[in-house]
Amino acid sequence: MAADPGSGSDTSGLQYTPFYQQEALTTRVANILEEYPAGPSTLREFVQNADDAGASELVLCLDWTDHGLGEIESPSLTPEMRVHQGPALVVWNNAPFTEADFASISSLGRSRKLEDATTIGRHGLGFNVSYHFTDVPQFASGRSFVAFDPHHRVLPRAELGLRADFCEPLFARLYPGAWRPLVTAAGALQGQPPPPLGAAPTPVHGTVFRLPLRTAAQAATSLISRRA
């Protein structure tokens, strides 16, 4: 139970204090991970999601690049994001996100597969296996950059997540450290060279997820998983 320190009244003048049940997002995600144990099935969720999205290509790889080392040259959204730009699991497929997919992935309690009998894992609950690997999953599709931070520790204004048009000139110029790791990884998996420093980004073909691997130091303070 949680009580709101504020007070209110209805049109009759009845006084009350808002009092309701709530759950921290980190607790909800941690509970979901118990339903999706770590193991081979974890990676299978990405395979299922790609298949449901109609992708004909899927690549998973480990990216050992520590993009945080270039923070001065390529600033990210906040200085705190630097520790979440190290070696990562990268997942790319050639199916772009639809607006329905964005809505589904932002909902912890409902997946599109409940509405579409032809899907077996479409973005939603299954995506949360990402938190077995990281506390701050990030992905890009088309012109959209997305990052989630259930701890609200590293995103601007302590947001729990954000979506931005990384091709928009101001965002692209101010935060290359946010989009470059994703755009570079997606390009590399398609045999393309990395974008030159200072170059404007181009939309991602398909969808690329980058899951910075949780370090031992991060695991020690994580409210989601102690797995490093």
Side-chain angles (χ1 to χ4, degrees), residues 85-106:
Q85 292 180 302
L89 172 65
V90 173
V91 183
W92 172 82
N93 69 68
N94 63 344
F97 253 48
T98 65
E99 285 303 315
D101 291 330
F102 282 110
S104 180
I105 205 169
S106 66

Side-chain angles (χ1 to χ4, degrees), residues 21-161:
Q21 295 173 307
Q22 64 180 4
E23 183 178 40
L25 183 56
T26 50
T27 302
R28 178 71 177 109
V29 172
N31 289 338
I32 289 174
L33 293 187
E34 292 185 4
E35 301 172 14
Y36 288 80
S41 61
T42 302
L43 298 180
R44 189 161 59 241
E45 286 293 334
F46 292 104
V47 177
Q48 292 177 343
N49 285 340
D51 180 72
D52 291 339
S56 59
E57 299 177 66
L58 171 70
V59 182
L60 296 89
C61 73
L62 287 174
D63 176 7
W64 293 108
T65 307
D66 189 343
H67 293 275
L69 295 177
E71 181 67 19
I72 296 177
E73 294 80 11
S74 299
S76 190
L77 295 169
T78 65
E80 292 78 13
M81 275 287 287
R82 179 174 181 174
V83 297
H84 295 284
Q85 292 180 302
L89 172 65
V90 173
V91 183
W92 172 82
N93 69 68
N94 63 344
F97 253 48
T98 65
E99 285 303 315
D101 291 330
F102 282 110
S104 180
I105 205 169
S106 66
S107 174
L108 284 175
R110 187 171 180 83
S111 171
R112 278 191 61 197
K113 72 176 182 178
L114 296 178
E115 304 168 0
D116 186 349
T118 66
T119 64
I120 52 179
R122 197 68 176 267
H123 314 289
L125 282 172
F127 164 77
N128 292 291
V129 299
S130 300
Y131 292 104
H132 278 304
F133 303 99
T134 187
D135 281 349
V136 186
Q138 302 152 48
F139 71 93
S141 187
R143 299 172 61 98
S144 290
F145 164 84
V146 173
F148 293 130
D149 175 22
H151 289 95
H152 53 83
R153 292 173 177 169
V154 304
L155 294 180
R157 296 186 295 278
E159 298 285 4
L160 292 169

Side-chain angles (χ1 to χ4, degrees), residues 174-214:
L174 291 179
Y175 306 118
W179 58 263
R180 277 187 64 87
L182 288 155
V183 171
T184 299
L189 295 176
Q190 298 171 76
Q192 301 170 3
L197 287 175
T202 56
V204 168
H205 171 62
T207 302
V208 60
F209 296 87
R210 194 169 193 278
L211 312 178
L213 301 178
R214 185 182 292 108

